[in-house]
Amino acid sequence: LSNCWINMEGRALPAGLSCYVAVSQLLGLTVIAMTGAWMGQYRGGIAWESALQFNVHPLCMVIGMVFLQGDALLVYRVFRNETKRSAKILHGLLHAFALVIALVGVIAVFDYHRKKGFADMYSLHSWCGIAAFSLYFIQWLMGFSFFLFPGASFSLRSRYKPQHVFFGVFLLVLSIATCLLGIKELLLFSIQATYSSFVPEGILANILGLLLIGFGLVIGYILTRDEWKRPPLAEELALSMDFKTLTKGESPNSSQ
């Protein structure tokens, strides 16, 4: 791994941050590749109009609710020298893409169950999954309303910001935990008789679970390092001071 990355304006990220971001991307892409390999090698592949429709679900949920959600949380750490507006838009777009891809995965599993006559929403995995997706959608709507929609005041944004940050991390943790429950459930449904014999499919799925945990740990570590938070740009500080002076504390450039 390189000692540092260069952002869009040519300025280097802190060496430690860039290395951890690189590790997170390596883990995330490996998780996606392993999920695809599992569905392709052991579950027959991926297709929409066939018995393979179910396999769309785990792949889409891993891409959307884990990888893209995790990357969206890193936007304010990686794009440190771009304008706050640009970072907000990218943050919101990544979350939006994650929601769309996850929605495809949710539709795939419900449609598959309907065609097969299987029951829905009875397992802990399904309960956690629908909770994670629903809360994620609400979180996106709230974030758009408070931080991208022009009507929210500085004081209102400041009061909501801690909740937004907390639930952002919580939803990534919940999403990864739901994936782990899904892995266990799929293994018990498909290879319960041979799982204890260390069959290759079971080993691959177990490793996938560990990598999911590793991805979450690296993302969490990056987010909890205060020195890696995005510093306000000089023009943002100046503009914020001007607005605070004019409006006695009301500023459109609230930090998220």
Side-chain angles (χ1 to χ4, degrees), residues 43-77:
R43 299 291 99 210
I46 296 174
W48 191 265
E49 296 296 337
S50 73
L52 302 177
Q53 184 180 17
F54 173 84
N55 296 342
V56 175
H57 173 70
L59 184 60
C60 283
M61 303 317 280
V62 165
I63 294 174
M65 295 296 290
V66 177
F67 180 68
L68 287 180
Q69 182 179 181
D71 273 7
L73 297 180
L74 295 182
V75 163
Y76 291 102
R77 303 300 190 272

Side-chain angles (χ1 to χ4, degrees), residues 34-35 37-38 42 199-209:
M34 288 189 68
T35 305
W38 183 15
Y42 297 103
V199 293
E201 181 178 358
I203 294 173
L204 183 146
N206 288 348
I207 294 173
L208 173 60

Side-chain angles (χ1 to χ4, degrees), residues 58-98:
L59 184 60
C60 283
M61 303 317 280
V62 165
I63 294 174
M65 295 296 290
V66 177
F67 180 68
L68 287 180
Q69 182 179 181
D71 273 7
L73 297 180
L74 295 182
V75 163
Y76 291 102
R77 303 300 190 272
V78 174
F79 297 95
R80 303 163 61 83
N81 299 301
E82 282 63 52
T83 65
K84 191 62 175 290
R85 183 72 176 176
S86 298
K88 285 183 179 182
I89 291 172
L90 180 58
H91 179 74
L93 283 175
L94 283 175
H95 280 309
F97 290 148

Side-chain angles (χ1 to χ4, degrees), residues 15 63 101 137 193 201 255:
I63 294 174
I101 293 173
F137 179 63
E201 181 178 358
S255 177

Side-chain angles (χ1 to χ4, degrees), residues 11 80-84 230-238:
R11 300 172 186 170
R80 303 163 61 83
N81 299 301
E82 282 63 52
T83 65
K84 191 62 175 290
R230 179 186 181 276
L233 300 181
E235 56 269 29
E236 293 171 355
L237 286 173

Side-chain angles (χ1 to χ4, degrees), residues 15 40-41 43 56 62 91 102 119 133 155 160 192 197 202 216 243 246 251:
Q41 181 68 26
R43 299 291 99 210
V56 175
V62 165
H91 179 74
F133 181 78
S155 60
Y160 174 64
Q192 183 175 7
S197 301
F243 270 95
L246 291 172
S251 169

